[in-house]
Structure formats: C-alpha cells, structure tokens
Amino acid sequence: MIALMQPEHVEAVKDLLDTCFDENSWSVESIQSELEKADSRCTVAVEDSKVVGFLAFEQIMDEGSIVEIAVSPDHRRRGIARALINEALRNCTGLCTVFLEVREGNVPAVALYESLGFERIAIRRGYYDKPKENAIIMRKNYENTGY
C-alpha cells in the first residue's frame, strides 16, 4: 500500500534509510523537516504494517525533484519504487519537468528511471562518497502528458 507519510512513520523511515544507504543517511530531524515542508510530498510503501519504501518529492512551481527514494533490500524488484514514483507524479499539478540524481553504478535504478521516461542529461563527477562515485542527473519532461 502506498500512502502519504505520517509523523508516526519517521522512525521507520530512518531505519529504512540506514539499511539502504552506506553513507550518511538522513537524520530523524531531516526526515521530520522534509515531511513538514510545504513544497514536499513524502510517501511510504507499507506492507504488513512495516514501512518497506520511502519517497521524498519536492515541487516548486512547475519543476519537481525526486529528493530521495529507498526500498528495503528484501522488497526490491517488486515494483515498489515504480509505484512510489507514479504515486508522487500522479498527485502533482502543473508539472513540466522532474529531475533526479542516481549513482552511476546503480544500474537497476537507472533502468527503472529510463523505463519511466527519464533521460540522462549530465554527470556530477565524484558526487557520492563511500565509495566515491559519479551521479547521473536525469530529467523527465511533461510537455503534453497532462501532469
């Protein structure tokens, strides 16, 4: 089930991010702040009362950004990330462009984003630490899609 994140999900999201990312994941305060931002929409995927996915999406005017996305390793390759992204985009109005960045070596994520219509537009050299890796910047345009 995909749902808007609630304050009671903050600790579970923190645990999920710590599990998914080796480098410094978000603090509880950062998650809470993102949840409270007026231009942010946070969603969670919940299975058997457990948070198994998280997406933070920000929209400023006609531009959106996938700020963070994570799916529990035990729940990957089951369409959860796709569902989180589609739900975030479905709830936007007036959107023209969406951006995201992804580790260059995260081949499954890059393939997912490309399957959703994102295109590679730039590389940020050495953007990620632990290990040091480039980031691919991707963009999806919504010129005539109704979003």
Side-chain angles (χ1 to χ4, degrees):
M1 175 180 79
I2 306 297
L4 284 175
M5 185 178 163
Q6 301 299 315
E8 59 266 20
H9 294 129
V10 170
E11 289 293 334
V13 167
K14 171 64 174 150
D15 291 343
L16 175 68
L17 294 176
D18 287 348
T19 299
C20 291
F21 302 113
D22 292 336
E23 58 189 75
N24 298 330
S25 69
W26 291 13
S27 67
V28 168
E29 294 78 16
S30 295
I31 297 165
Q32 186 68 40
S33 175
E34 191 70 26
L35 181 61
E36 294 170 356
K37 279 181 169 176
D39 60 357
S40 179
R41 173 176 279 116
C42 296
T43 53
V44 291
V46 179
E47 187 175 284
D48 297 326
S49 302
K50 181 180 179 189
V51 172
V52 298
F54 167 72
L55 182 134
F57 183 88
E58 293 181 359
Q59 182 177 356
I60 299 174
M61 301 193 62
D62 64 353
E63 186 176 292
S65 179
I66 296 175
V67 178
E68 187 71 87
I69 185 166
V71 175
S72 168
D74 295 339
H75 292 81
R76 291 182 184 158
R77 315 268 323 151
R78 295 179 34 201
I80 294 171
R82 181 180 300 275
L84 285 164
I85 293 167
N86 284 334
E87 182 66 17
L89 298 178
R90 192 175 9 263
N91 288 302
C92 295
T93 57
L95 196 59
C96 290
T97 308
V98 176
F99 293 94
L100 63 83
E101 57 196 34
V102 59
R103 280 184 178 272
E104 194 171 46
N106 192 343
V107 175
V110 172
L112 169 66
Y113 302 141
E114 288 177 336
S115 78
L116 290 168
F118 286 84
E119 62 182 349
R120 301 169 194 225
I121 60 166
I123 298 286
R124 284 198 174 125
R125 304 247 175 249
Y127 181 75
Y128 292 104
D129 289 321
K130 299 179 187 172
K132 196 70 156 169
E133 190 171 358
N134 297 337
I136 301 171
I137 300 172
M138 301 183 82
R139 173 185 64 207
K140 181 173 182 172
N141 291 324
Y142 290 102
E143 295 163 4
N144 297 308
T145 64
Y147 282 105

